[in-house]
Amino acid sequence: MDGMTAPTARKVLLAAPRGYCAGVDRAVIAVEKALEQYGAPVYVRHEIVHNKYVVKTLEKKGAIFVDETAEVPEGNIVIFSAHGVAPVVHEEAERGKLATIDATCPLVTKVHKEAVRFAKEDYDILLIGHEGHEEVIGTSGEAPDHITLVDGPGDVAGVEVRDPDKVVWLSQTTLSVDETMETVGALQQKFPNLISPPSDDICYATQNRQTAVKQMGADADLVIVVGSKNSSNSVRLVEVALGAGAKDAHLVDYAEEIDEAWLEGVSTVGVTSGASVPEILVEGVLEWLAQRGYGDVETITSAQESITFSLPKELRRDLRAEAAGKLAGGESA
Ligand code: 0O3
Ligand code: SF4
């Protein structure tokens, strides 16, 4: 802060909820348990979640991240990431004689199932999402002939369907709620009989983290979002913070990436993190800020979360079998 204007009152507003959602927690634990259960290496198709630190930590424990199942040597185990995969990827794994553990978040699977159902009923499905994002590739793969990607309100004018009275919209789980509603509004103008998904596709965790950052945004001179650049939900939090009135907002993987110049004239710093971000990284940011006079932390809570998901079924089966084996071994001894 040398040579900078240091405001007298300095504080941090810490958003809650923030960080790990139930789907990420389950996916990361799935890789850890698989390493314990089967031993290293365990292959993972794509980053298990979009976080540099998580990927590095799991690599150190013996996980090998690959882009495609074809890279996994025959007979090995491959874990599918939390973002989900297209059915063709399951088929590839079967052809490659790979054992699979599907760590797709159940809330992503729910969207896959909606896509399959509407495609069976021969609807045109307008999938709102970001082009090239893994989740969108996976969901689209469930019904490629029925799904058209709509990447924001700007895409709506160019959308064409077979029958404007038989159209449904679905979405990626990690989008901006407000921008998605804008896209839906524009689609409804174009297709007045457009059907909405049976329940929210943007998941509870995405919505809660955006609500929390909105609540603090207007009071913050600077918002620091902890998360990786390829994490859609983390990137959205920066946009939501700015939209809510934060004067400045940045995404950082680690505290070391914070630029001291961002603190120039800043009294209130908002801190939050994406759904794929371990709390240890937020703690690092809070320490960094405390060392610069921002040690007064107020938590702004906008929702309580208690949702958890059980581990992928393949892993539960093997963990159960091992526990039963140990028990039987113990009994006979
Ligand atoms: O989908 P996104 O890029 O936000 O993915 P992250 O950062 O890994 O967060 C978890 C979300 C997810 C696995 C799909 O909903
Ligand atoms: Fe599941 Fe939502 Fe987390 Fe994605 S952000 S993994 S959909 S809980």
Side-chain angles (χ1 to χ4, degrees):
M1 298 279 290
D2 284 351
M4 288 188 189
T5 331
T8 41
R10 287 183 249 176
K11 70 184 289 191
V12 170
L13 301 177
L14 181 60
R18 64 179 176 279
Y20 269 23
C21 60
V24 164
D25 196 41
R26 170 186 189 257
V28 174
I29 293 175
V31 179
E32 289 169 349
K33 290 270 181 212
L35 284 162
E36 277 169 37
Q37 175 75 8
Y38 314 111
V42 161
Y43 290 83
V44 185
R45 184 183 180 277
H46 288 169
E47 295 189 348
I48 186 74
V49 297
H50 292 149
N51 186 266
K52 268 188 192 172
Y53 175 90
V54 170
V55 169
K56 259 193 208 156
T57 309
L58 291 173
E59 269 173 347
K60 277 188 205 143
K61 293 183 181 175
I64 297 179
F65 291 88
V66 295
D67 290 332
E68 292 308 332
T69 37
E71 295 167 49
V72 183
E74 202 175 295
N76 275 276
I77 295 171
V78 64
I79 302 181
F80 296 141
S81 82
H83 317 93
V85 294
V88 66
V89 176
H90 284 278
E91 290 157 20
E92 277 165 21
E94 215 172 284
R95 275 201 302 277
K97 298 189 173 46
L98 306 175
T100 57
I101 295 174
D102 189 356
T104 303
C105 175
L107 299 180
V108 174
T109 303
K110 187 200 81 168
V111 183
H112 281 226
K113 286 185 177 154
E114 287 169 353
V116 170
R117 175 161 79 80
F118 284 110
K120 258 193 195 139
E121 293 173 23
D122 205 26
Y123 276 82
D124 273 354
I125 301 165
L126 305 178
L127 178 65
I128 305 174
H130 296 299
E131 194 167 4
H133 189 281
E134 265 126 42
E135 183 183 325
V136 158
I137 294 170
T139 309
S140 300
E142 292 286 358
D145 299 339
H146 286 81
I147 294 180
T148 302
L149 182 69
V150 183
D151 192 347
D155 266 8
V156 174
V159 173
E160 282 173 23
V161 297
R162 291 168 303 160
D163 176 358
D165 293 325
K166 209 166 179 192
V167 193
V168 60
W169 71 271
L170 299 178
S171 87
Q172 190 180 330
T173 57
T174 51
L175 300 181
S176 147
V177 174
D178 293 341
E179 193 192 274
T180 304
M181 286 308 116
E182 200 187 313
T183 309
V184 171
L187 286 170
Q188 279 165 337
Q189 291 265 321
K190 191 164 173 164
F191 308 115
N193 291 330
L194 179 73
I195 289 181
S196 295
S199 61
D200 287 350
D201 284 348
I202 300 182
C203 78
Y204 80 96
T206 302
Q207 296 193 30
N208 286 347
R209 280 149 194 68
Q210 287 176 19
T211 305
V213 87
K214 257 187 198 174
Q215 208 162 316
M216 65 154 62
D219 298 324
D221 302 306
L222 164 70
V223 171
I224 295 174
V225 178
V226 188
S228 292
K229 308 280 178 284
N230 61 341
S231 166
S232 166
N233 78 88
S234 305
V235 174
R236 300 290 83 78
L237 291 176
V238 174
E239 296 166 0
V240 171
L242 292 170
K247 295 192 186 80
D248 194 9
H250 296 275
L251 183 68
V252 297
D253 261 295
Y254 302 104
E256 297 70 46
E257 288 176 11
I258 304 171
D259 186 339
E260 301 250 0
W262 299 344
L263 296 176
E264 171 86 56
V266 165
S267 309
T268 306
V269 184
V271 174
T272 189
S273 55
S276 47
V277 179
E279 190 60 9
I280 190 170
L281 302 179
V282 174
E283 285 161 11
V285 166
L286 294 178
E287 268 166 42
W288 189 96
L289 287 168
Q291 284 160 10
R292 286 152 184 87
Y294 299 84
D296 173 14
V297 179
E298 184 190 343
T299 302
I300 307 286
T301 307
S302 60
Q304 301 290 342
E305 292 179 344
S306 54
I307 184 164
T308 56
F309 295 127
S310 52
L311 286 172
K313 60 179 188 313
E314 308 86 351
L315 199 51
R316 272 185 286 141
R317 178 199 60 208
D318 291 351
L319 291 171
R320 260 200 316 268
E322 197 200 47
K326 273 189 189 156
L327 202 63
E331 275 165 6
S332 64

PDB file of all heavy atoms in Angstrom, residues 96-129:
ATOM      1  N   GLY A  96     -13.236 -49.391 -24.955  1.00  0.00           N
ATOM      2  CA  GLY A  96     -11.847 -49.425 -24.483  1.00  0.00           C
ATOM      3  C   GLY A  96     -11.649 -50.326 -23.278  1.00  0.00           C
ATOM      4  O   GLY A  96     -10.579 -50.297 -22.673  1.00  0.00           O
ATOM      5  N   LYS A  97     -12.711 -51.058 -22.926  1.00  0.00           N
ATOM      6  CA  LYS A  97     -12.668 -51.979 -21.778  1.00  0.00           C
ATOM      7  C   LYS A  97     -12.224 -51.260 -20.491  1.00  0.00           C
ATOM      8  O   LYS A  97     -11.360 -51.732 -19.737  1.00  0.00           O
ATOM      9  CB  LYS A  97     -11.758 -53.168 -22.073  1.00  0.00           C
ATOM     10  CG  LYS A  97     -12.238 -54.005 -23.249  1.00  0.00           C
ATOM     11  CD  LYS A  97     -11.455 -55.284 -23.378  1.00  0.00           C
ATOM     12  CE  LYS A  97     -12.007 -56.217 -24.440  1.00  0.00           C
ATOM     13  NZ  LYS A  97     -12.353 -55.598 -25.734  1.00  0.00           N
ATOM     14  N   LEU A  98     -12.818 -50.092 -20.287  1.00  0.00           N
ATOM     15  CA  LEU A  98     -12.487 -49.321 -19.090  1.00  0.00           C
ATOM     16  C   LEU A  98     -13.601 -49.465 -18.065  1.00  0.00           C
ATOM     17  O   LEU A  98     -14.783 -49.512 -18.432  1.00  0.00           O
ATOM     18  CB  LEU A  98     -12.343 -47.831 -19.447  1.00  0.00           C
ATOM     19  CG  LEU A  98     -11.360 -47.491 -20.572  1.00  0.00           C
ATOM     20  CD1 LEU A  98     -11.420 -45.994 -20.880  1.00  0.00           C
ATOM     21  CD2 LEU A  98      -9.935 -47.890 -20.185  1.00  0.00           C
ATOM     22  N   ALA A  99     -13.205 -49.532 -16.801  1.00  0.00           N
ATOM     23  CA  ALA A  99     -14.217 -49.461 -15.736  1.00  0.00           C
ATOM     24  C   ALA A  99     -14.485 -47.973 -15.519  1.00  0.00           C
ATOM     25  O   ALA A  99     -13.553 -47.155 -15.569  1.00  0.00           O
ATOM     26  CB  ALA A  99     -13.662 -50.095 -14.476  1.00  0.00           C
ATOM     27  N   THR A 100     -15.744 -47.602 -15.323  1.00  0.00           N
ATOM     28  CA  THR A 100     -16.044 -46.175 -15.190  1.00  0.00           C
ATOM     29  C   THR A 100     -16.666 -45.857 -13.838  1.00  0.00           C
ATOM     30  O   THR A 100     -17.380 -46.675 -13.263  1.00  0.00           O
ATOM     31  CB  THR A 100     -17.028 -45.704 -16.293  1.00  0.00           C
ATOM     32  OG1 THR A 100     -18.204 -46.500 -16.218  1.00  0.00           O
ATOM     33  CG2 THR A 100     -16.428 -45.829 -17.672  1.00  0.00           C
ATOM     34  N   ILE A 101     -16.369 -44.651 -13.383  1.00  0.00           N
ATOM     35  CA  ILE A 101     -17.061 -44.093 -12.214  1.00  0.00           C
ATOM     36  C   ILE A 101     -17.620 -42.758 -12.697  1.00  0.00           C
ATOM     37  O   ILE A 101     -16.861 -41.899 -13.161  1.00  0.00           O
ATOM     38  CB  ILE A 101     -16.098 -43.880 -11.028  1.00  0.00           C
ATOM     39  CG1 ILE A 101     -15.571 -45.244 -10.529  1.00  0.00           C
ATOM     40  CG2 ILE A 101     -16.796 -43.129  -9.904  1.00  0.00           C
ATOM     41  CD1 ILE A 101     -14.520 -45.138  -9.456  1.00  0.00           C
ATOM     42  N   ASP A 102     -18.913 -42.627 -12.606  1.00  0.00           N
ATOM     43  CA  ASP A 102     -19.536 -41.419 -13.146  1.00  0.00           C
ATOM     44  C   ASP A 102     -19.775 -40.416 -12.021  1.00  0.00           C
ATOM     45  O   ASP A 102     -20.689 -40.576 -11.216  1.00  0.00           O
ATOM     46  CB  ASP A 102     -20.861 -41.804 -13.824  1.00  0.00           C
ATOM     47  CG  ASP A 102     -21.446 -40.640 -14.601  1.00  0.00           C
ATOM     48  OD1 ASP A 102     -20.860 -39.537 -14.531  1.00  0.00           O
ATOM     49  OD2 ASP A 102     -22.474 -40.833 -15.275  1.00  0.00           O
ATOM     50  N   ALA A 103     -18.936 -39.377 -11.993  1.00  0.00           N
ATOM     51  CA  ALA A 103     -19.066 -38.351 -10.942  1.00  0.00           C
ATOM     52  C   ALA A 103     -19.903 -37.161 -11.411  1.00  0.00           C
ATOM     53  O   ALA A 103     -19.869 -36.084 -10.795  1.00  0.00           O
ATOM     54  CB  ALA A 103     -17.689 -37.895 -10.486  1.00  0.00           C
ATOM     55  N   THR A 104     -20.676 -37.361 -12.476  1.00  0.00           N
ATOM     56  CA  THR A 104     -21.579 -36.283 -12.928  1.00  0.00           C
ATOM     57  C   THR A 104     -22.483 -35.868 -11.774  1.00  0.00           C
ATOM     58  O   THR A 104     -23.089 -36.724 -11.116  1.00  0.00           O
ATOM     59  CB  THR A 104     -22.485 -36.799 -14.075  1.00  0.00           C
ATOM     60  OG1 THR A 104     -21.666 -37.282 -15.127  1.00  0.00           O
ATOM     61  CG2 THR A 104     -23.397 -35.704 -14.596  1.00  0.00           C
ATOM     62  N   CYS A 105     -22.604 -34.575 -11.551  1.00  0.00           N
ATOM     63  CA  CYS A 105     -23.484 -34.105 -10.482  1.00  0.00           C
ATOM     64  C   CYS A 105     -24.923 -34.552 -10.777  1.00  0.00           C
ATOM     65  O   CYS A 105     -25.403 -34.404 -11.904  1.00  0.00           O
ATOM     66  CB  CYS A 105     -23.436 -32.580 -10.376  1.00  0.00           C
ATOM     67  SG  CYS A 105     -24.625 -31.969  -9.161  1.00  0.00           S
ATOM     68  N   PRO A 106     -25.621 -35.056  -9.775  1.00  0.00           N
ATOM     69  CA  PRO A 106     -27.013 -35.484  -9.992  1.00  0.00           C
ATOM     70  C   PRO A 106     -27.895 -34.363 -10.576  1.00  0.00           C
ATOM     71  O   PRO A 106     -28.865 -34.645 -11.271  1.00  0.00           O
ATOM     72  CB  PRO A 106     -27.487 -35.883  -8.602  1.00  0.00           C
ATOM     73  CG  PRO A 106     -26.226 -36.263  -7.871  1.00  0.00           C
ATOM     74  CD  PRO A 106     -25.156 -35.378  -8.418  1.00  0.00           C
ATOM     75  N   LEU A 107     -27.530 -33.113 -10.300  1.00  0.00           N
ATOM     76  CA  LEU A 107     -28.358 -32.020 -10.833  1.00  0.00           C
ATOM     77  C   LEU A 107     -28.066 -31.764 -12.315  1.00  0.00           C
ATOM     78  O   LEU A 107     -28.893 -31.212 -13.037  1.00  0.00           O
ATOM     79  CB  LEU A 107     -28.155 -30.747 -10.000  1.00  0.00           C
ATOM     80  CG  LEU A 107     -28.562 -30.912  -8.532  1.00  0.00           C
ATOM     81  CD1 LEU A 107     -28.351 -29.629  -7.751  1.00  0.00           C
ATOM     82  CD2 LEU A 107     -30.021 -31.365  -8.423  1.00  0.00           C
ATOM     83  N   VAL A 108     -26.897 -32.187 -12.774  1.00  0.00           N
ATOM     84  CA  VAL A 108     -26.601 -32.150 -14.213  1.00  0.00           C
ATOM     85  C   VAL A 108     -27.318 -33.338 -14.876  1.00  0.00           C
ATOM     86  O   VAL A 108     -27.939 -33.195 -15.935  1.00  0.00           O
ATOM     87  CB  VAL A 108     -25.078 -32.200 -14.474  1.00  0.00           C
ATOM     88  CG1 VAL A 108     -24.778 -32.323 -15.966  1.00  0.00           C
ATOM     89  CG2 VAL A 108     -24.387 -30.959 -13.899  1.00  0.00           C
ATOM     90  N   THR A 109     -27.261 -34.487 -14.216  1.00  0.00           N
ATOM     91  CA  THR A 109     -27.958 -35.677 -14.738  1.00  0.00           C
ATOM     92  C   THR A 109     -29.445 -35.379 -14.917  1.00  0.00           C
ATOM     93  O   THR A 109     -30.069 -35.818 -15.887  1.00  0.00           O
ATOM     94  CB  THR A 109     -27.770 -36.872 -13.775  1.00  0.00           C
ATOM     95  OG1 THR A 109     -26.371 -37.086 -13.626  1.00  0.00           O
ATOM     96  CG2 THR A 109     -28.430 -38.133 -14.284  1.00  0.00           C
ATOM     97  N   LYS A 110     -29.996 -34.611 -13.997  1.00  0.00           N
ATOM     98  CA  LYS A 110     -31.422 -34.251 -14.091  1.00  0.00           C
ATOM     99  C   LYS A 110     -31.692 -33.518 -15.417  1.00  0.00           C
ATOM    100  O   LYS A 110     -32.671 -33.803 -16.100  1.00  0.00           O
ATOM    101  CB  LYS A 110     -31.789 -33.345 -12.896  1.00  0.00           C
ATOM    102  CG  LYS A 110     -33.250 -33.031 -12.778  1.00  0.00           C
ATOM    103  CD  LYS A 110     -33.494 -31.794 -11.929  1.00  0.00           C
ATOM    104  CE  LYS A 110     -33.268 -30.535 -12.748  1.00  0.00           C
ATOM    105  NZ  LYS A 110     -33.726 -29.290 -12.148  1.00  0.00           N
ATOM    106  N   VAL A 111     -30.791 -32.625 -15.799  1.00  0.00           N
ATOM    107  CA  VAL A 111     -30.973 -31.890 -17.060  1.00  0.00           C
ATOM    108  C   VAL A 111     -30.821 -32.852 -18.246  1.00  0.00           C
ATOM    109  O   VAL A 111     -31.575 -32.772 -19.228  1.00  0.00           O
ATOM    110  CB  VAL A 111     -29.984 -30.696 -17.168  1.00  0.00           C
ATOM    111  CG1 VAL A 111     -30.234 -29.910 -18.449  1.00  0.00           C
ATOM    112  CG2 VAL A 111     -30.095 -29.784 -15.952  1.00  0.00           C
ATOM    113  N   HIS A 112     -29.862 -33.787 -18.155  1.00  0.00           N
ATOM    114  CA  HIS A 112     -29.707 -34.797 -19.217  1.00  0.00           C
ATOM    115  C   HIS A 112     -31.029 -35.551 -19.409  1.00  0.00           C
ATOM    116  O   HIS A 112     -31.479 -35.770 -20.526  1.00  0.00           O
ATOM    117  CB  HIS A 112     -28.610 -35.809 -18.848  1.00  0.00           C
ATOM    118  CG  HIS A 112     -27.219 -35.315 -19.080  1.00  0.00           C
ATOM    119  ND1 HIS A 112     -26.252 -36.074 -19.696  1.00  0.00           N
ATOM    120  CD2 HIS A 112     -26.618 -34.146 -18.787  1.00  0.00           C
ATOM    121  CE1 HIS A 112     -25.123 -35.389 -19.758  1.00  0.00           C
ATOM    122  NE2 HIS A 112     -25.317 -34.219 -19.197  1.00  0.00           N
ATOM    123  N   LYS A 113     -31.633 -35.936 -18.276  1.00  0.00           N
ATOM    124  CA  LYS A 113     -32.883 -36.715 -18.353  1.00  0.00           C
ATOM    125  C   LYS A 113     -34.007 -35.891 -18.974  1.00  0.00           C
ATOM    126  O   LYS A 113     -34.821 -36.406 -19.744  1.00  0.00           O
ATOM    127  CB  LYS A 113     -33.289 -37.218 -16.961  1.00  0.00           C
ATOM    128  CG  LYS A 113     -32.399 -38.366 -16.499  1.00  0.00           C
ATOM    129  CD  LYS A 113     -32.885 -38.925 -15.176  1.00  0.00           C
ATOM    130  CE  LYS A 113     -32.028 -40.117 -14.770  1.00  0.00           C
ATOM    131  NZ  LYS A 113     -32.030 -40.309 -13.317  1.00  0.00           N
ATOM    132  N   GLU A 114     -34.033 -34.619 -18.640  1.00  0.00           N
ATOM    133  CA  GLU A 114     -35.059 -33.736 -19.247  1.00  0.00           C
ATOM    134  C   GLU A 114     -34.854 -33.701 -20.757  1.00  0.00           C
ATOM    135  O   GLU A 114     -35.817 -33.792 -21.536  1.00  0.00           O
ATOM    136  CB  GLU A 114     -34.939 -32.311 -18.685  1.00  0.00           C
ATOM    137  CG  GLU A 114     -35.437 -32.168 -17.251  1.00  0.00           C
ATOM    138  CD  GLU A 114     -35.068 -30.832 -16.604  1.00  0.00           C
ATOM    139  OE1 GLU A 114     -34.302 -30.043 -17.209  1.00  0.00           O
ATOM    140  OE2 GLU A 114     -35.536 -30.577 -15.485  1.00  0.00           O
ATOM    141  N   ALA A 115     -33.589 -33.593 -21.175  1.00  0.00           N
ATOM    142  CA  ALA A 115     -33.292 -33.535 -22.614  1.00  0.00           C
ATOM    143  C   ALA A 115     -33.754 -34.815 -23.304  1.00  0.00           C
ATOM    144  O   ALA A 115     -34.396 -34.767 -24.368  1.00  0.00           O
ATOM    145  CB  ALA A 115     -31.792 -33.314 -22.832  1.00  0.00           C
ATOM    146  N   VAL A 116     -33.474 -35.947 -22.683  1.00  0.00           N
ATOM    147  CA  VAL A 116     -33.867 -37.234 -23.281  1.00  0.00           C
ATOM    148  C   VAL A 116     -35.390 -37.310 -23.398  1.00  0.00           C
ATOM    149  O   VAL A 116     -35.937 -37.691 -24.431  1.00  0.00           O
ATOM    150  CB  VAL A 116     -33.317 -38.414 -22.429  1.00  0.00           C
ATOM    151  CG1 VAL A 116     -33.899 -39.739 -22.875  1.00  0.00           C
ATOM    152  CG2 VAL A 116     -31.789 -38.442 -22.492  1.00  0.00           C
ATOM    153  N   ARG A 117     -36.072 -36.903 -22.329  1.00  0.00           N
ATOM    154  CA  ARG A 117     -37.538 -37.001 -22.326  1.00  0.00           C
ATOM    155  C   ARG A 117     -38.157 -36.095 -23.406  1.00  0.00           C
ATOM    156  O   ARG A 117     -39.009 -36.536 -24.185  1.00  0.00           O
ATOM    157  CB  ARG A 117     -38.080 -36.614 -20.940  1.00  0.00           C
ATOM    158  CG  ARG A 117     -39.600 -36.563 -20.896  1.00  0.00           C
ATOM    159  CD  ARG A 117     -40.120 -36.650 -19.481  1.00  0.00           C
ATOM    160  NE  ARG A 117     -40.036 -35.405 -18.734  1.00  0.00           N
ATOM    161  CZ  ARG A 117     -40.911 -34.408 -18.861  1.00  0.00           C
ATOM    162  NH1 ARG A 117     -41.909 -34.480 -19.730  1.00  0.00           N
ATOM    163  NH2 ARG A 117     -40.785 -33.326 -18.117  1.00  0.00           N
ATOM    164  N   PHE A 118     -37.703 -34.835 -23.467  1.00  0.00           N
ATOM    165  CA  PHE A 118     -38.304 -33.920 -24.457  1.00  0.00           C
ATOM    166  C   PHE A 118     -37.949 -34.335 -25.883  1.00  0.00           C
ATOM    167  O   PHE A 118     -38.742 -34.147 -26.802  1.00  0.00           O
ATOM    168  CB  PHE A 118     -37.896 -32.466 -24.168  1.00  0.00           C
ATOM    169  CG  PHE A 118     -38.648 -31.872 -23.009  1.00  0.00           C
ATOM    170  CD1 PHE A 118     -38.011 -31.593 -21.808  1.00  0.00           C
ATOM    171  CD2 PHE A 118     -40.012 -31.601 -23.116  1.00  0.00           C
ATOM    172  CE1 PHE A 118     -38.719 -31.054 -20.730  1.00  0.00           C
ATOM    173  CE2 PHE A 118     -40.730 -31.058 -22.050  1.00  0.00           C
ATOM    174  CZ  PHE A 118     -40.071 -30.781 -20.851  1.00  0.00           C
ATOM    175  N   ALA A 119     -36.768 -34.909 -26.049  1.00  0.00           N
ATOM    176  CA  ALA A 119     -36.382 -35.374 -27.392  1.00  0.00           C
ATOM    177  C   ALA A 119     -37.270 -36.546 -27.809  1.00  0.00           C
ATOM    178  O   ALA A 119     -37.713 -36.628 -28.957  1.00  0.00           O
ATOM    179  CB  ALA A 119     -34.911 -35.781 -27.410  1.00  0.00           C
ATOM    180  N   LYS A 120     -37.559 -37.418 -26.854  1.00  0.00           N
ATOM    181  CA  LYS A 120     -38.442 -38.571 -27.147  1.00  0.00           C
ATOM    182  C   LYS A 120     -39.816 -38.090 -27.581  1.00  0.00           C
ATOM    183  O   LYS A 120     -40.458 -38.684 -28.436  1.00  0.00           O
ATOM    184  CB  LYS A 120     -38.582 -39.445 -25.891  1.00  0.00           C
ATOM    185  CG  LYS A 120     -37.725 -40.675 -25.953  1.00  0.00           C
ATOM    186  CD  LYS A 120     -38.088 -41.681 -24.880  1.00  0.00           C
ATOM    187  CE  LYS A 120     -36.953 -42.681 -24.784  1.00  0.00           C
ATOM    188  NZ  LYS A 120     -36.622 -43.052 -23.423  1.00  0.00           N
ATOM    189  N   GLU A 121     -40.251 -36.978 -26.963  1.00  0.00           N
ATOM    190  CA  GLU A 121     -41.563 -36.416 -27.319  1.00  0.00           C
ATOM    191  C   GLU A 121     -41.454 -35.518 -28.555  1.00  0.00           C
ATOM    192  O   GLU A 121     -42.401 -34.822 -28.910  1.00  0.00           O
ATOM    193  CB  GLU A 121     -42.132 -35.649 -26.121  1.00  0.00           C
ATOM    194  CG  GLU A 121     -42.486 -36.567 -24.956  1.00  0.00           C
ATOM    195  CD  GLU A 121     -42.901 -35.814 -23.697  1.00  0.00           C
ATOM    196  OE1 GLU A 121     -43.345 -34.650 -23.787  1.00  0.00           O
ATOM    197  OE2 GLU A 121     -42.749 -36.392 -22.604  1.00  0.00           O
ATOM    198  N   ASP A 122     -40.289 -35.540 -29.167  1.00  0.00           N
ATOM    199  CA  ASP A 122     -39.998 -34.829 -30.416  1.00  0.00           C
ATOM    200  C   ASP A 122     -40.079 -33.297 -30.323  1.00  0.00           C
ATOM    201  O   ASP A 122     -40.461 -32.617 -31.280  1.00  0.00           O
ATOM    202  CB  ASP A 122     -40.908 -35.360 -31.542  1.00  0.00           C
ATOM    203  CG  ASP A 122     -40.253 -35.139 -32.901  1.00  0.00           C
ATOM    204  OD1 ASP A 122     -39.005 -35.064 -32.950  1.00  0.00           O
ATOM    205  OD2 ASP A 122     -40.979 -35.010 -33.909  1.00  0.00           O
ATOM    206  N   TYR A 123     -39.746 -32.759 -29.163  1.00  0.00           N
ATOM    207  CA  TYR A 123     -39.643 -31.294 -29.016  1.00  0.00           C
ATOM    208  C   TYR A 123     -38.337 -30.802 -29.623  1.00  0.00           C
ATOM    209  O   TYR A 123     -37.353 -31.543 -29.661  1.00  0.00           O
ATOM    210  CB  TYR A 123     -39.632 -30.917 -27.527  1.00  0.00           C
ATOM    211  CG  TYR A 123     -41.000 -30.800 -26.917  1.00  0.00           C
ATOM    212  CD1 TYR A 123     -41.685 -31.935 -26.485  1.00  0.00           C
ATOM    213  CD2 TYR A 123     -41.617 -29.562 -26.767  1.00  0.00           C
ATOM    214  CE1 TYR A 123     -42.944 -31.836 -25.916  1.00  0.00           C
ATOM    215  CE2 TYR A 123     -42.876 -29.456 -26.204  1.00  0.00           C
ATOM    216  CZ  TYR A 123     -43.541 -30.593 -25.783  1.00  0.00           C
ATOM    217  OH  TYR A 123     -44.782 -30.488 -25.223  1.00  0.00           O
ATOM    218  N   ASP A 124     -38.328 -29.559 -30.060  1.00  0.00           N
ATOM    219  CA  ASP A 124     -37.066 -28.879 -30.322  1.00  0.00           C
ATOM    220  C   ASP A 124     -36.619 -28.316 -28.965  1.00  0.00           C
ATOM    221  O   ASP A 124     -37.402 -27.643 -28.284  1.00  0.00           O
ATOM    222  CB  ASP A 124     -37.256 -27.723 -31.317  1.00  0.00           C
ATOM    223  CG  ASP A 124     -37.141 -28.203 -32.754  1.00  0.00           C
ATOM    224  OD1 ASP A 124     -36.813 -29.387 -32.950  1.00  0.00           O
ATOM    225  OD2 ASP A 124     -37.390 -27.406 -33.668  1.00  0.00           O
ATOM    226  N   ILE A 125     -35.391 -28.617 -28.581  1.00  0.00           N
ATOM    227  CA  ILE A 125     -34.889 -28.189 -27.271  1.00  0.00           C
ATOM    228  C   ILE A 125     -33.896 -27.043 -27.464  1.00  0.00           C
ATOM    229  O   ILE A 125     -32.903 -27.198 -28.183  1.00  0.00           O
ATOM    230  CB  ILE A 125     -34.191 -29.362 -26.543  1.00  0.00           C
ATOM    231  CG1 ILE A 125     -35.181 -30.527 -26.351  1.00  0.00           C
ATOM    232  CG2 ILE A 125     -33.604 -28.912 -25.214  1.00  0.00           C
ATOM    233  CD1 ILE A 125     -34.529 -31.854 -25.990  1.00  0.00           C
ATOM    234  N   LEU A 126     -34.185 -25.912 -26.829  1.00  0.00           N
ATOM    235  CA  LEU A 126     -33.252 -24.782 -26.896  1.00  0.00           C
ATOM    236  C   LEU A 126     -32.447 -24.804 -25.601  1.00  0.00           C
ATOM    237  O   LEU A 126     -32.985 -24.560 -24.513  1.00  0.00           O
ATOM    238  CB  LEU A 126     -34.027 -23.471 -27.060  1.00  0.00           C
ATOM    239  CG  LEU A 126     -34.983 -23.455 -28.271  1.00  0.00           C
ATOM    240  CD1 LEU A 126     -35.748 -22.142 -28.356  1.00  0.00           C
ATOM    241  CD2 LEU A 126     -34.216 -23.718 -29.574  1.00  0.00           C
ATOM    242  N   LEU A 127     -31.189 -25.178 -25.725  1.00  0.00           N
ATOM    243  CA  LEU A 127     -30.333 -25.316 -24.542  1.00  0.00           C
ATOM    244  C   LEU A 127     -29.557 -24.019 -24.349  1.00  0.00           C
ATOM    245  O   LEU A 127     -28.678 -23.676 -25.152  1.00  0.00           O
ATOM    246  CB  LEU A 127     -29.370 -26.500 -24.720  1.00  0.00           C
ATOM    247  CG  LEU A 127     -28.383 -26.724 -23.569  1.00  0.00           C
ATOM    248  CD1 LEU A 127     -29.103 -27.122 -22.274  1.00  0.00           C
ATOM    249  CD2 LEU A 127     -27.354 -27.810 -23.935  1.00  0.00           C
ATOM    250  N   ILE A 128     -29.906 -23.291 -23.290  1.00  0.00           N
ATOM    251  CA  ILE A 128     -29.201 -22.039 -23.007  1.00  0.00           C
ATOM    252  C   ILE A 128     -27.903 -22.398 -22.276  1.00  0.00           C
ATOM    253  O   ILE A 128     -27.935 -23.100 -21.250  1.00  0.00           O
ATOM    254  CB  ILE A 128     -30.078 -21.087 -22.161  1.00  0.00           C
ATOM    255  CG1 ILE A 128     -31.417 -20.849 -22.867  1.00  0.00           C
ATOM    256  CG2 ILE A 128     -29.348 -19.773 -21.895  1.00  0.00           C
ATOM    257  CD1 ILE A 128     -32.421 -20.042 -22.063  1.00  0.00           C
ATOM    258  N   GLY A 129     -26.785 -21.956 -22.829  1.00  0.00           N
ATOM    259  CA  GLY A 129     -25.506 -22.304 -22.203  1.00  0.00           C
ATOM    260  C   GLY A 129     -24.351 -21.728 -23.000  1.00  0.00           C
ATOM    261  O   GLY A 129     -24.559 -21.092 -24.042  1.00  0.00           O
TER     262      GLY A 129
END
